[in-house]
Amino acid sequence: MREPRLYTTSADYAYQELRHKIVTKQLKPGQRLPEVNIAVQMGVSRTPVREALRRLSSEGLVNIIPNSGARLASPTIKEMEDTFIVREKLECLSIAMAAERIGDRHLRRLEELVLDEVRAVEERNLEAYLEAYEWFHRTIADAGSNKVLAEFVGNILARTNAYVVFYDPFYEQDENPTLEEHKSILEALSHRDGETSIALMRAHLRRSMSCLKSPDTDD
């Protein structure tokens, strides 16, 4: 059951409600998102809806087309493959640096995030899972102490998380292989084993890409 939220603004309300519908697959990739209809359904004006759509666009979840309006994003397989190629390079560099510099604080945080992922999978809560998943990878980047690299990793994680929302069979899986992969990555990092950490990260990302599947889209 979804927990009630407190919203500070109408735009925040519109953003959270739209994002929830996207993550829970109530909307389909490519589907039109007319501002007027959404505003009426939510009982708000068009302005907060427009702000919410812009925010979702910055996360790669919505495409805003001039003189046409907004649509739910519908990334192609080629676009996803290209993005994962870049992500693999960035995260293999990130984890190599982390293996050299990671301390107990980051290791404890990674342990907490793995537990959060396990709980989210058990509860079939994709929103909570994506948050824990993203912060697991962000924490590794942060442990490497390179702010520029961490920023690039954060940006590409936002893009690939959108792919997970649209294409990953999260709700159809009895077991999520990411959990064991993250545990193995954490174990390698705890031993400061750079070579194994890199190999595990590369295998994790390639397996993740291979699991994505294209859903039907709406006109």
Side-chain angles (χ1 to χ4, degrees), residues 115-125 170 174 179:
L115 292 176
D116 289 344
E117 287 179 319
V118 170
R119 189 178 306 110
V121 169
E122 289 174 348
E123 296 174 354
R124 287 288 200 273
N125 187 335
F170 177 84
D174 292 326
L179 302 180

Side-chain angles (χ1 to χ4, degrees), residues 31-69:
Q31 182 173 334
R32 290 189 179 92
L33 301 171
E35 287 182 10
V36 174
N37 292 4
I38 294 170
V40 170
Q41 290 170 7
M42 293 187 177
V44 299
S45 68
R46 292 178 63 180
T47 299
V49 172
R50 191 175 300 121
E51 290 180 23
L53 291 171
R54 286 173 181 161
R55 187 172 171 186
L56 291 165
S57 174
S58 72
E59 297 177 9
L61 294 170
V62 167
N63 290 331
I64 298 176
I65 306 164
N67 303 317
S68 178

Side-chain angles (χ1 to χ4, degrees), residues 2-198:
R2 189 184 181 202
E3 295 182 1
R5 290 177 179 265
L6 294 176
Y7 305 105
T8 55
T9 64
S10 295
D12 184 50
Y13 165 70
Y15 165 77
Q16 295 290 353
E17 289 300 303
L18 278 172
R19 193 175 192 280
H20 176 72
K21 288 185 176 182
I22 294 169
V23 171
T24 54
K25 301 185 186 294
Q26 296 177 49
L27 304 173
K28 292 184 178 181
Q31 182 173 334
R32 290 189 179 92
L33 301 171
E35 287 182 10
V36 174
N37 292 4
I38 294 170
V40 170
Q41 290 170 7
M42 293 187 177
V44 299
S45 68
R46 292 178 63 180
T47 299
V49 172
R50 191 175 300 121
E51 290 180 23
L53 291 171
R54 286 173 181 161
R55 187 172 171 186
L56 291 165
S57 174
S58 72
E59 297 177 9
L61 294 170
V62 167
N63 290 331
I64 298 176
I65 306 164
N67 303 317
S68 178
R71 283 179 178 265
L72 207 57
S74 182
T76 65
I77 293 295
K78 179 65 164 62
E79 181 182 343
M80 291 192 297
E81 289 175 344
D82 288 348
T83 305
F84 267 90
I85 288 171
V86 176
R87 181 178 168 188
E88 181 182 315
K89 296 295 185 183
L90 289 173
E91 290 223 68
C92 284
L93 175 58
S94 170
I95 202 166
M97 297 177 70
E100 295 177 356
R101 304 173 185 179
I102 197 164
D104 290 341
R105 178 174 64 87
H106 283 99
L107 288 171
R108 284 195 301 271
R109 180 60 178 146
L110 291 173
E111 289 173 357
E112 293 169 357
L113 290 166
V114 168
L115 292 176
D116 289 344
E117 287 179 319
V118 170
R119 189 178 306 110
V121 169
E122 289 174 348
E123 296 174 354
R124 287 288 200 273
N125 187 335
L126 182 54
E127 288 175 284
Y129 170 76
L130 286 175
E131 182 175 359
Y133 176 95
E134 179 173 339
W135 278 106
F136 182 90
H137 286 266
R138 280 180 175 268
T139 299
I140 291 172
D142 186 61
S145 300
N146 186 311
K147 291 183 178 180
V148 175
L149 179 57
E151 183 177 339
F152 276 108
V153 169
N155 289 340
I156 206 158
L157 278 168
R159 182 184 290 262
T160 55
N161 266 0
Y163 303 158
V164 172
V165 169
F166 296 134
Y167 292 175
D168 189 87
F170 177 84
Y171 294 106
E172 303 164 20
Q173 294 176 320
D174 292 326
E175 296 183 2
N176 189 321
T178 291
L179 302 180
E180 290 304 318
E181 291 168 355
H182 278 186
K183 289 175 184 177
S184 296
I185 288 170
L186 173 56
E187 179 70 15
L189 285 172
S190 70
H191 290 98
R192 279 72 177 179
D193 185 342
E195 186 175 346
T196 300
S197 296
I198 292 168

